[in-house]
Short mmCIF file of all heavy atoms in Angstrom, two decimals:
data_model
loop_
_atom_site.label_atom_id
_atom_site.label_comp_id
_atom_site.label_asym_id
_atom_site.label_seq_id
_atom_site.Cartn_x
_atom_site.Cartn_y
_atom_site.Cartn_z
N MET A 187 0.86 -1.18 0.00
CA MET A 187 0.00 0.00 0.00
C MET A 187 0.90 1.24 0.00
O MET A 187 1.83 1.33 0.79
CB MET A 187 -0.87 -0.08 1.23
CG MET A 187 -2.02 0.86 1.32
SD MET A 187 -3.40 0.32 0.37
CE MET A 187 -4.00 1.89 -0.08
N ASP A 188 0.60 2.16 -0.86
CA ASP A 188 1.40 3.38 -1.00
C ASP A 188 1.26 4.27 0.23
O ASP A 188 0.15 4.58 0.66
CB ASP A 188 0.96 4.12 -2.26
CG ASP A 188 1.78 5.36 -2.54
OD1 ASP A 188 2.95 5.40 -2.11
OD2 ASP A 188 1.25 6.28 -3.19
N LYS A 189 2.38 4.67 0.81
CA LYS A 189 2.39 5.50 2.03
C LYS A 189 1.66 6.83 1.79
O LYS A 189 0.93 7.31 2.66
CB LYS A 189 3.84 5.74 2.46
CG LYS A 189 4.01 6.70 3.60
CD LYS A 189 3.62 6.09 4.93
CE LYS A 189 3.99 6.99 6.07
NZ LYS A 189 2.91 7.41 6.90
N LYS A 190 1.83 7.44 0.63
CA LYS A 190 1.17 8.71 0.34
C LYS A 190 -0.35 8.55 0.32
O LYS A 190 -1.07 9.40 0.83
CB LYS A 190 1.64 9.27 -1.01
CG LYS A 190 3.06 9.75 -1.01
CD LYS A 190 3.44 10.28 -2.37
CE LYS A 190 4.91 10.61 -2.42
NZ LYS A 190 5.33 11.03 -3.76
N LEU A 191 -0.81 7.44 -0.24
CA LEU A 191 -2.24 7.18 -0.27
C LEU A 191 -2.77 6.97 1.14
O LEU A 191 -3.83 7.50 1.49
CB LEU A 191 -2.53 5.95 -1.14
CG LEU A 191 -3.99 5.57 -1.31
CD1 LEU A 191 -4.81 6.70 -1.91
CD2 LEU A 191 -4.12 4.32 -2.15
N LEU A 192 -2.04 6.23 1.96
CA LEU A 192 -2.45 6.00 3.34
C LEU A 192 -2.57 7.31 4.11
O LEU A 192 -3.46 7.47 4.96
CB LEU A 192 -1.46 5.08 4.06
CG LEU A 192 -1.55 3.61 3.69
CD1 LEU A 192 -0.43 2.85 4.37
CD2 LEU A 192 -2.89 3.04 4.07
N ASP A 193 -1.70 8.27 3.82
CA ASP A 193 -1.70 9.55 4.52
C ASP A 193 -2.95 10.38 4.21
O ASP A 193 -3.39 11.17 5.04
CB ASP A 193 -0.46 10.36 4.19
CG ASP A 193 0.80 9.79 4.83
OD1 ASP A 193 0.67 8.99 5.79
OD2 ASP A 193 1.90 10.13 4.37
N ILE A 194 -3.51 10.22 3.02
CA ILE A 194 -4.67 11.06 2.65
C ILE A 194 -6.02 10.36 2.82
O ILE A 194 -7.05 11.02 2.86
CB ILE A 194 -4.55 11.59 1.20
CG1 ILE A 194 -4.51 10.45 0.20
CG2 ILE A 194 -3.34 12.50 1.06
CD1 ILE A 194 -4.59 10.90 -1.24
N LEU A 195 -6.01 9.03 2.96
CA LEU A 195 -7.27 8.31 3.13
C LEU A 195 -7.84 8.54 4.52
O LEU A 195 -7.11 8.62 5.51
CB LEU A 195 -7.07 6.81 2.92
CG LEU A 195 -6.98 6.34 1.49
CD1 LEU A 195 -6.71 4.84 1.46
CD2 LEU A 195 -8.25 6.65 0.73
N ALA A 196 -9.16 8.63 4.59
CA ALA A 196 -9.87 8.78 5.86
C ALA A 196 -11.12 7.92 5.80
O ALA A 196 -11.60 7.56 4.72
CB ALA A 196 -10.23 10.24 6.10
N CYS A 197 -11.68 7.63 6.94
CA CYS A 197 -12.91 6.87 7.02
C CYS A 197 -14.02 7.65 6.30
O CYS A 197 -14.20 8.84 6.58
CB CYS A 197 -13.29 6.62 8.47
SG CYS A 197 -14.89 5.80 8.66
N PRO A 198 -14.76 7.02 5.41
CA PRO A 198 -15.81 7.73 4.70
C PRO A 198 -17.00 8.10 5.59
O PRO A 198 -17.79 8.98 5.24
CB PRO A 198 -16.24 6.75 3.60
CG PRO A 198 -15.83 5.42 4.10
CD PRO A 198 -14.62 5.64 4.95
N LEU A 199 -17.11 7.49 6.76
CA LEU A 199 -18.23 7.77 7.65
C LEU A 199 -17.92 8.91 8.63
O LEU A 199 -18.64 9.90 8.69
CB LEU A 199 -18.63 6.52 8.42
CG LEU A 199 -18.98 5.30 7.56
CD1 LEU A 199 -19.26 4.10 8.41
CD2 LEU A 199 -20.15 5.63 6.67
N CYS A 200 -16.83 8.74 9.40
CA CYS A 200 -16.52 9.72 10.44
C CYS A 200 -15.38 10.66 10.05
O CYS A 200 -15.07 11.58 10.78
CB CYS A 200 -16.19 9.02 11.75
SG CYS A 200 -14.60 8.16 11.75
N LYS A 201 -14.74 10.39 8.91
CA LYS A 201 -13.60 11.18 8.41
C LYS A 201 -12.37 11.06 9.30
O LYS A 201 -11.45 11.86 9.22
CB LYS A 201 -13.95 12.67 8.23
CG LYS A 201 -15.23 12.92 7.46
CD LYS A 201 -15.19 12.35 6.07
CE LYS A 201 -16.44 12.73 5.30
NZ LYS A 201 -17.17 11.63 4.74
N GLY A 202 -12.35 10.04 10.15
CA GLY A 202 -11.23 9.80 11.05
C GLY A 202 -10.09 9.06 10.37
O GLY A 202 -10.23 8.58 9.23
N PRO A 203 -8.97 8.93 11.05
CA PRO A 203 -7.80 8.25 10.50
C PRO A 203 -8.03 6.74 10.40
O PRO A 203 -8.87 6.17 11.10
CB PRO A 203 -6.68 8.56 11.50
CG PRO A 203 -7.41 8.82 12.77
CD PRO A 203 -8.72 9.44 12.40
N LEU A 204 -7.27 6.10 9.53
CA LEU A 204 -7.35 4.67 9.32
C LEU A 204 -6.02 4.01 9.66
O LEU A 204 -4.97 4.62 9.50
CB LEU A 204 -7.70 4.36 7.86
CG LEU A 204 -9.06 4.89 7.39
CD1 LEU A 204 -9.16 4.79 5.88
CD2 LEU A 204 -10.19 4.15 8.07
N VAL A 205 -6.09 2.77 10.13
CA VAL A 205 -4.90 1.98 10.45
C VAL A 205 -4.79 0.89 9.39
O VAL A 205 -5.76 0.17 9.13
CB VAL A 205 -5.02 1.35 11.85
CG1 VAL A 205 -3.83 0.43 12.14
CG2 VAL A 205 -5.14 2.43 12.91
N TYR A 206 -3.60 0.76 8.80
CA TYR A 206 -3.37 -0.24 7.76
C TYR A 206 -2.93 -1.55 8.39
O TYR A 206 -1.96 -1.59 9.15
CB TYR A 206 -2.30 0.27 6.80
CG TYR A 206 -1.90 -0.70 5.71
CD1 TYR A 206 -2.83 -1.38 4.97
CD2 TYR A 206 -0.55 -0.91 5.42
CE1 TYR A 206 -2.45 -2.25 3.96
CE2 TYR A 206 -0.16 -1.76 4.41
CZ TYR A 206 -1.12 -2.44 3.69
OH TYR A 206 -0.74 -3.29 2.69
N ARG A 207 -3.65 -2.62 8.10
CA ARG A 207 -3.27 -3.97 8.53
C ARG A 207 -2.81 -4.72 7.29
O ARG A 207 -3.63 -5.19 6.50
CB ARG A 207 -4.44 -4.70 9.17
CG ARG A 207 -4.76 -4.25 10.56
CD ARG A 207 -5.77 -5.18 11.17
NE ARG A 207 -6.08 -4.81 12.53
CZ ARG A 207 -7.12 -5.27 13.19
NH1 ARG A 207 -7.96 -6.12 12.62
NH2 ARG A 207 -7.35 -4.90 14.42
N LYS A 208 -1.51 -4.81 7.13
CA LYS A 208 -0.93 -5.40 5.93
C LYS A 208 -1.31 -6.88 5.77
O LYS A 208 -1.73 -7.30 4.70
CB LYS A 208 0.59 -5.25 5.96
CG LYS A 208 1.26 -5.74 4.70
CD LYS A 208 2.74 -5.46 4.72
CE LYS A 208 3.37 -5.89 3.41
NZ LYS A 208 4.78 -5.54 3.33
N ALA A 209 -1.18 -7.65 6.83
CA ALA A 209 -1.45 -9.10 6.76
C ALA A 209 -2.90 -9.39 6.35
O ALA A 209 -3.16 -10.31 5.59
CB ALA A 209 -1.13 -9.76 8.09
N GLU A 210 -3.82 -8.59 6.85
CA GLU A 210 -5.24 -8.80 6.56
C GLU A 210 -5.70 -8.05 5.32
O GLU A 210 -6.82 -8.23 4.87
CB GLU A 210 -6.11 -8.36 7.75
CG GLU A 210 -5.96 -9.24 8.97
CD GLU A 210 -4.82 -8.76 9.86
OE1 GLU A 210 -4.11 -7.80 9.52
OE2 GLU A 210 -4.63 -9.39 10.91
N GLN A 211 -4.84 -7.16 4.79
CA GLN A 211 -5.20 -6.30 3.66
C GLN A 211 -6.49 -5.54 3.96
O GLN A 211 -7.48 -5.61 3.22
CB GLN A 211 -5.32 -7.12 2.37
CG GLN A 211 -3.98 -7.56 1.80
CD GLN A 211 -3.14 -6.36 1.36
OE1 GLN A 211 -3.47 -5.71 0.39
NE2 GLN A 211 -2.08 -6.07 2.08
N GLU A 212 -6.45 -4.79 5.07
CA GLU A 212 -7.60 -4.01 5.51
C GLU A 212 -7.15 -2.65 6.02
O GLU A 212 -6.03 -2.50 6.50
CB GLU A 212 -8.34 -4.72 6.65
CG GLU A 212 -9.01 -5.99 6.26
CD GLU A 212 -9.69 -6.66 7.43
OE1 GLU A 212 -9.20 -6.61 8.57
OE2 GLU A 212 -10.74 -7.27 7.18
N LEU A 213 -8.06 -1.70 5.95
CA LEU A 213 -7.90 -0.40 6.59
C LEU A 213 -8.93 -0.34 7.71
O LEU A 213 -10.12 -0.55 7.48
CB LEU A 213 -8.12 0.74 5.59
CG LEU A 213 -7.06 0.84 4.50
CD1 LEU A 213 -7.50 1.84 3.44
CD2 LEU A 213 -5.72 1.26 5.08
N ILE A 214 -8.46 -0.05 8.92
CA ILE A 214 -9.31 -0.10 10.11
C ILE A 214 -9.65 1.31 10.59
O ILE A 214 -8.76 2.15 10.74
CB ILE A 214 -8.58 -0.84 11.26
CG1 ILE A 214 -8.12 -2.23 10.81
CG2 ILE A 214 -9.45 -0.91 12.51
CD1 ILE A 214 -9.22 -3.17 10.41
N CYS A 215 -10.94 1.54 10.85
CA CYS A 215 -11.38 2.76 11.51
C CYS A 215 -11.67 2.39 12.96
O CYS A 215 -12.60 1.62 13.24
CB CYS A 215 -12.63 3.33 10.84
SG CYS A 215 -13.28 4.77 11.73
N LYS A 216 -10.86 2.91 13.87
CA LYS A 216 -11.03 2.60 15.29
C LYS A 216 -12.34 3.17 15.83
O LYS A 216 -13.03 2.53 16.61
CB LYS A 216 -9.87 3.17 16.11
CG LYS A 216 -8.55 2.51 15.83
CD LYS A 216 -7.47 3.15 16.69
CE LYS A 216 -6.10 2.62 16.37
NZ LYS A 216 -5.07 3.23 17.21
N ALA A 217 -12.70 4.38 15.41
CA ALA A 217 -13.89 5.05 15.93
C ALA A 217 -15.18 4.29 15.57
O ALA A 217 -16.06 4.10 16.42
CB ALA A 217 -13.96 6.48 15.41
N ASP A 218 -15.28 3.84 14.33
CA ASP A 218 -16.49 3.15 13.88
C ASP A 218 -16.37 1.63 14.00
O ASP A 218 -17.34 0.92 13.75
CB ASP A 218 -16.79 3.51 12.42
CG ASP A 218 -17.20 4.95 12.26
OD1 ASP A 218 -17.91 5.48 13.14
OD2 ASP A 218 -16.80 5.57 11.25
N ARG A 219 -15.16 1.14 14.35
CA ARG A 219 -14.89 -0.29 14.46
C ARG A 219 -15.26 -1.03 13.18
O ARG A 219 -15.95 -2.04 13.20
CB ARG A 219 -15.56 -0.90 15.68
CG ARG A 219 -15.03 -0.31 16.98
CD ARG A 219 -15.27 -1.10 18.21
NE ARG A 219 -14.90 -2.51 18.19
CZ ARG A 219 -13.65 -2.99 18.34
NH1 ARG A 219 -12.65 -2.17 18.50
NH2 ARG A 219 -13.43 -4.28 18.33
N LEU A 220 -14.77 -0.46 12.05
CA LEU A 220 -15.00 -1.06 10.73
C LEU A 220 -13.66 -1.40 10.08
O LEU A 220 -12.67 -0.70 10.29
CB LEU A 220 -15.76 -0.09 9.82
CG LEU A 220 -17.21 0.19 10.18
CD1 LEU A 220 -17.77 1.27 9.27
CD2 LEU A 220 -18.05 -1.07 10.08
N ALA A 221 -13.68 -2.45 9.27
CA ALA A 221 -12.51 -2.86 8.50
C ALA A 221 -12.87 -2.80 7.02
O ALA A 221 -13.75 -3.52 6.56
CB ALA A 221 -12.10 -4.27 8.89
N PHE A 222 -12.19 -1.90 6.31
CA PHE A 222 -12.42 -1.74 4.88
C PHE A 222 -11.41 -2.61 4.13
O PHE A 222 -10.21 -2.52 4.38
CB PHE A 222 -12.25 -0.27 4.47
CG PHE A 222 -13.27 0.64 5.09
CD1 PHE A 222 -13.00 1.30 6.27
CD2 PHE A 222 -14.51 0.81 4.50
CE1 PHE A 222 -13.94 2.14 6.85
CE2 PHE A 222 -15.47 1.65 5.08
CZ PHE A 222 -15.18 2.30 6.26
N PRO A 223 -11.88 -3.44 3.20
CA PRO A 223 -10.96 -4.34 2.49
C PRO A 223 -10.11 -3.61 1.46
O PRO A 223 -10.48 -2.55 0.96
CB PRO A 223 -11.91 -5.32 1.80
CG PRO A 223 -13.15 -4.54 1.57
CD PRO A 223 -13.26 -3.61 2.76
N ILE A 224 -8.97 -4.22 1.16
CA ILE A 224 -8.10 -3.75 0.08
C ILE A 224 -8.01 -4.91 -0.91
O ILE A 224 -7.57 -6.00 -0.55
CB ILE A 224 -6.69 -3.38 0.59
CG1 ILE A 224 -6.80 -2.27 1.62
CG2 ILE A 224 -5.78 -2.97 -0.57
CD1 ILE A 224 -5.51 -1.96 2.34
N ARG A 225 -8.46 -4.67 -2.13
CA ARG A 225 -8.45 -5.71 -3.16
C ARG A 225 -7.60 -5.24 -4.34
O ARG A 225 -7.86 -4.17 -4.88
CB ARG A 225 -9.87 -6.02 -3.63
CG ARG A 225 -10.74 -6.58 -2.52
CD ARG A 225 -12.10 -7.03 -3.03
NE ARG A 225 -12.96 -7.28 -1.91
CZ ARG A 225 -14.13 -6.68 -1.70
NH1 ARG A 225 -14.58 -5.79 -2.56
NH2 ARG A 225 -14.85 -6.97 -0.65
N ASP A 226 -6.64 -6.05 -4.72
CA ASP A 226 -5.74 -5.70 -5.83
C ASP A 226 -5.13 -4.32 -5.64
O ASP A 226 -5.09 -3.51 -6.57
CB ASP A 226 -6.48 -5.78 -7.17
CG ASP A 226 -7.00 -7.17 -7.47
OD1 ASP A 226 -6.28 -8.13 -7.17
OD2 ASP A 226 -8.11 -7.29 -8.00
N ASP A 227 -4.69 -4.03 -4.41
CA ASP A 227 -4.07 -2.75 -4.03
C ASP A 227 -5.02 -1.56 -4.12
O ASP A 227 -4.58 -0.41 -4.14
CB ASP A 227 -2.82 -2.48 -4.86
CG ASP A 227 -1.69 -3.42 -4.50
OD1 ASP A 227 -1.61 -3.84 -3.33
OD2 ASP A 227 -0.88 -3.74 -5.39
N ILE A 228 -6.34 -1.81 -4.15
CA ILE A 228 -7.33 -0.73 -4.20
C ILE A 228 -8.18 -0.78 -2.94
O ILE A 228 -8.87 -1.78 -2.69
CB ILE A 228 -8.22 -0.85 -5.45
CG1 ILE A 228 -7.36 -0.80 -6.71
CG2 ILE A 228 -9.30 0.23 -5.45
CD1 ILE A 228 -8.10 -1.16 -7.96
N PRO A 229 -8.16 0.28 -2.12
CA PRO A 229 -9.01 0.31 -0.93
C PRO A 229 -10.48 0.44 -1.34
O PRO A 229 -10.83 1.29 -2.15
CB PRO A 229 -8.56 1.56 -0.17
CG PRO A 229 -7.33 2.03 -0.85
CD PRO A 229 -7.29 1.44 -2.21
N ILE A 230 -11.31 -0.43 -0.79
CA ILE A 230 -12.74 -0.39 -1.06
C ILE A 230 -13.39 0.37 0.10
O ILE A 230 -13.64 -0.20 1.16
CB ILE A 230 -13.33 -1.81 -1.19
CG1 ILE A 230 -12.50 -2.67 -2.13
CG2 ILE A 230 -14.79 -1.75 -1.62
CD1 ILE A 230 -12.39 -2.17 -3.56
N MET A 231 -13.64 1.65 -0.11
CA MET A 231 -14.07 2.53 0.98
C MET A 231 -15.59 2.72 1.00
O MET A 231 -16.10 3.81 1.16
CB MET A 231 -13.36 3.88 0.85
CG MET A 231 -11.85 3.80 0.82
SD MET A 231 -11.15 2.99 2.26
CE MET A 231 -11.54 4.18 3.51
N LEU A 232 -16.32 1.62 0.87
CA LEU A 232 -17.77 1.65 0.90
C LEU A 232 -18.26 1.00 2.19
O LEU A 232 -17.81 -0.08 2.56
CB LEU A 232 -18.35 0.89 -0.30
CG LEU A 232 -17.94 1.39 -1.67
CD1 LEU A 232 -18.39 0.41 -2.75
CD2 LEU A 232 -18.53 2.76 -1.91
N GLU A 233 -19.21 1.65 2.85
CA GLU A 233 -19.73 1.13 4.11
C GLU A 233 -20.28 -0.28 3.96
O GLU A 233 -20.06 -1.14 4.81
CB GLU A 233 -20.81 2.07 4.66
CG GLU A 233 -21.36 1.63 5.98
CD GLU A 233 -22.41 2.58 6.53
OE1 GLU A 233 -22.82 3.51 5.82
OE2 GLU A 233 -22.83 2.37 7.68
N GLU A 234 -20.97 -0.54 2.85
CA GLU A 234 -21.56 -1.86 2.65
C GLU A 234 -20.52 -2.96 2.38
O GLU A 234 -20.82 -4.14 2.51
CB GLU A 234 -22.62 -1.84 1.54
CG GLU A 234 -22.14 -1.35 0.22
CD GLU A 234 -22.28 0.15 0.00
OE1 GLU A 234 -22.55 0.90 0.96
OE2 GLU A 234 -22.10 0.57 -1.14
N GLU A 235 -19.30 -2.58 2.04
CA GLU A 235 -18.22 -3.55 1.82
C GLU A 235 -17.39 -3.78 3.09
O GLU A 235 -16.64 -4.74 3.18
CB GLU A 235 -17.29 -3.09 0.70
CG GLU A 235 -17.93 -3.10 -0.67
CD GLU A 235 -18.12 -4.51 -1.22
OE1 GLU A 235 -17.29 -5.39 -0.94
OE2 GLU A 235 -19.11 -4.71 -1.93
N ALA A 236 -17.51 -2.89 4.05
CA ALA A 236 -16.72 -2.99 5.29
C ALA A 236 -17.31 -4.06 6.20
O ALA A 236 -18.51 -4.35 6.15
CB ALA A 236 -16.71 -1.65 6.01
N ARG A 237 -16.45 -4.64 7.00
CA ARG A 237 -16.93 -5.59 8.00
C ARG A 237 -16.82 -4.96 9.38
O ARG A 237 -15.92 -4.16 9.66
CB ARG A 237 -16.17 -6.91 7.92
CG ARG A 237 -14.77 -6.87 8.43
CD ARG A 237 -14.12 -8.26 8.42
NE ARG A 237 -12.74 -8.13 8.89
CZ ARG A 237 -12.39 -8.18 10.16
NH1 ARG A 237 -13.28 -8.37 11.10
NH2 ARG A 237 -11.11 -8.04 10.50
N GLN A 238 -17.76 -5.29 10.22
CA GLN A 238 -17.76 -4.81 11.60
C GLN A 238 -16.71 -5.59 12.38
O GLN A 238 -16.63 -6.81 12.27
CB GLN A 238 -19.15 -5.03 12.22
CG GLN A 238 -19.34 -4.37 13.55
CD GLN A 238 -19.47 -2.87 13.45
OE1 GLN A 238 -20.14 -2.37 12.58
NE2 GLN A 238 -18.82 -2.15 14.33
N LEU A 239 -15.88 -4.89 13.14
CA LEU A 239 -14.88 -5.57 13.96
C LEU A 239 -15.57 -6.27 15.13
O LEU A 239 -16.49 -5.72 15.74
CB LEU A 239 -13.85 -4.56 14.49
CG LEU A 239 -12.95 -3.92 13.45
CD1 LEU A 239 -12.05 -2.90 14.12
CD2 LEU A 239 -12.14 -4.93 12.69
N ARG A 240 -15.13 -7.47 15.42
CA ARG A 240 -15.66 -8.21 16.56
C ARG A 240 -15.16 -7.57 17.86
O ARG A 240 -14.12 -6.92 17.88
CB ARG A 240 -15.21 -9.67 16.50
CG ARG A 240 -15.75 -10.40 15.27
CD ARG A 240 -15.33 -11.88 15.27
NE ARG A 240 -13.89 -12.07 15.46
CZ ARG A 240 -13.00 -12.15 14.47
NH1 ARG A 240 -13.37 -12.04 13.23
NH2 ARG A 240 -11.72 -12.35 14.75
N ALA A 241 -15.91 -7.75 18.91
CA ALA A 241 -15.56 -7.15 20.20
C ALA A 241 -14.19 -7.57 20.69
O ALA A 241 -13.46 -6.77 21.30
CB ALA A 241 -16.62 -7.51 21.24
N GLU A 242 -13.80 -8.81 20.40
CA GLU A 242 -12.51 -9.31 20.89
C GLU A 242 -11.33 -8.92 20.00
O GLU A 242 -10.19 -9.17 20.36
CB GLU A 242 -12.55 -10.85 21.07
CG GLU A 242 -12.74 -11.63 19.80
CD GLU A 242 -14.20 -11.86 19.41
OE1 GLU A 242 -15.09 -11.32 20.05
OE2 GLU A 242 -14.42 -12.56 18.42
N GLU A 243 -11.60 -8.33 18.84
CA GLU A 243 -10.50 -7.91 17.95
C GLU A 243 -9.79 -6.70 18.52
O GLU A 243 -10.41 -5.70 18.86
CB GLU A 243 -11.02 -7.58 16.55
CG GLU A 243 -11.24 -8.80 15.69
CD GLU A 243 -11.55 -8.43 14.27
OE1 GLU A 243 -10.61 -8.25 13.49
OE2 GLU A 243 -12.74 -8.31 13.95
N GLU A 244 -8.49 -6.82 18.61
CA GLU A 244 -7.65 -5.73 19.12
C GLU A 244 -7.38 -4.73 18.00
O GLU A 244 -7.02 -5.11 16.89
CB GLU A 244 -6.32 -6.31 19.63
CG GLU A 244 -5.46 -5.33 20.35
CD GLU A 244 -6.04 -4.88 21.68
OE1 GLU A 244 -6.76 -5.66 22.30
OE2 GLU A 244 -5.77 -3.74 22.07
N VAL A 245 -7.60 -3.47 18.29
CA VAL A 245 -7.30 -2.40 17.34
C VAL A 245 -6.10 -1.64 17.86
O VAL A 245 -6.19 -0.96 18.87
CB VAL A 245 -8.51 -1.45 17.15
CG1 VAL A 245 -8.18 -0.36 16.16
CG2 VAL A 245 -9.73 -2.22 16.73
N GLU A 246 -4.95 -1.82 17.20
CA GLU A 246 -3.71 -1.19 17.68
C GLU A 246 -3.66 0.27 17.38
O GLU A 246 -4.25 0.86 16.61
CB GLU A 246 -2.47 -1.89 17.13
CG GLU A 246 -2.25 -1.77 15.65
CD GLU A 246 -2.93 -2.83 14.79
OE1 GLU A 246 -3.41 -3.81 15.29
OE2 GLU A 246 -2.98 -2.60 13.58
#
């Protein structure tokens, strides 16, 4: 994932910062507890494509 792209991306819902999880290929919004997928190096920033983080999932 390109560092410059990560710096400008924000959560489409709350406009908050995102955390990149390389192993899972996801962008995490801590505030909304959503994980946005990255497919073929393209972040899918749609609410309906995001998965809700489980309560036991640690958000670093």
Side-chain angles (χ1 to χ4, degrees):
M187 192 79 213
D188 183 26
K189 174 75 171 121
K190 290 180 187 176
L191 181 58
L192 285 175
D193 288 342
I194 61 172
L195 281 177
C197 175
L199 304 176
C200 71
K201 311 300 185 235
L204 298 168
V205 175
Y206 177 47
R207 284 189 178 165
K208 185 175 183 175
E210 292 88 357
Q211 286 295 291
E212 293 179 325
L213 292 170
I214 306 298
C215 175
K216 293 180 185 181
D218 293 323
R219 297 199 50 80
L220 291 174
F222 296 93
I224 300 171
R225 297 186 192 122
D226 299 321
D227 290 329
I228 301 169
I230 312 299
M231 304 302 292
L232 302 170
E233 182 179 7
E234 57 270 12
E235 292 287 326
R237 72 176 178 87
Q238 190 73 43
L239 293 177
R240 297 182 309 269
E242 65 272 6
E243 279 189 87
E244 188 68 29
V245 180
E246 67 272 347

